Amino acid sequence: LITYPMPERSNRYCHPNKVLSCFVIVVMIANSVFNAFFFYQPKKYVQDYEGLSWWDIHTVSEMEPLRAKLVDNGYDIGYCTHWFGNVLTEVSNGKLEIVSLNVNEEGIQYRPWLTEKRLVHVVPEKPFLIVHRTEVPFLETTDIYSHCRLLVEEVDYFAYELDDPMVMYNLLHSKK
């Protein structure tokens, strides 16, 4: 149809090539306008937050009290595994920033996956540390544990305040 030769008597303005081209252009312009309104002004288009889909669907609701406590008490940068950090960053709307860690039998290691590089070089005023209940025995074997004060103990996680902000900073920079 597109390569079909145009008869001499037909209307050149209704040729299938031109109609198809115009249609594609109109769709692209409509998509651009929609994206401009939706992405640059998302508050006009209210969406309900339904939580994160994760292997434990209750994690968001379980971490909401912790999020409230951390934000209300002036915490802003903390350390934890990616999964808890991802949830906290999402439900706090970015107010809590997380440096991802691995806590295991080898101790505590920095995990650069999905961590902003600038956070590794920041010494937070009130740092916090969150570990899964299965990671607590590993945390207890590290030097950092002596600087931890328990903030919240839940079924799946323990949240600690670090009394010395430089402890975690030094650990992150000692293994580079």
Side-chain angles (χ1 to χ4, degrees):
L1 183 65
I2 293 174
T3 60
Y4 182 75
M6 188 169 70
E8 289 183 27
R9 292 190 211 172
S10 72
N11 186 350
R12 286 188 253 182
Y13 297 105
C14 293
H15 190 271
N17 285 344
K18 289 184 179 183
V19 172
L20 182 62
S21 298
C22 290
F23 178 75
V24 168
I25 290 170
V26 168
V27 168
M28 289 176 65
I29 290 171
N31 186 34
S32 299
V33 170
F34 172 78
N35 286 340
F37 283 113
F38 185 79
F39 291 111
Y40 294 123
Q41 299 173 353
K43 292 180 181 176
K44 288 185 176 180
Y45 304 95
V46 180
Q47 297 178 6
D48 293 331
Y49 177 73
E50 298 175 6
L52 301 170
S53 59
W54 193 41
W55 58 271
D56 182 359
I57 61 171
H58 304 293
T59 301
V60 172
S61 59
E62 288 173 3
M63 295 196 83
E64 180 59 32
L66 174 63
R67 183 222 45 93
K69 184 172 187 166
L70 293 172
V71 170
D72 293 346
N73 290 307
Y75 295 94
D76 57 352
I77 298 175
Y79 307 91
C80 63
T81 59
H82 165 73
W83 297 112
F84 287 132
N86 187 29
V87 172
L88 278 175
T89 301
E90 175 98 14
V91 298
S92 71
N93 215 11
K95 291 179 183 171
L96 296 173
E97 296 182 293
I98 303 298
V99 176
S100 292
L101 302 174
N102 286 333
V103 181
N104 53 36
E105 60 276 349
E106 297 173 11
I108 298 175
Q109 303 90 27
Y110 167 60
R111 183 178 187 196
W113 187 54
L114 296 178
T115 297
E116 288 188 53
K117 290 181 181 180
R118 70 173 180 80
L119 293 177
V120 177
H121 303 290
V122 173
V123 179
E125 292 179 28
K126 292 174 71 176
F128 61 91
L129 172 66
I130 301 170
V131 294
H132 191 268
R133 63 180 157 71
T134 61
E135 299 167 336
V136 172
F138 303 125
L139 176 65
E140 291 172 346
T141 65
T142 66
D143 296 335
I144 291 177
Y145 187 69
S146 62
H147 297 278
C148 293
R149 183 179 63 83
L150 187 64
L151 283 174
V152 176
E153 179 180 344
E154 289 290 334
V155 173
D156 285 334
Y157 65 87
F158 291 74
Y160 300 94
E161 177 182 38
L162 297 171
D163 63 8
D164 182 7
M166 290 303 292
V167 171
M168 195 61 77
Y169 179 86
N170 292 336
L171 173 83
L172 294 177
H173 291 278
S174 67
K175 298 196 177 189
K176 286 189 174 183

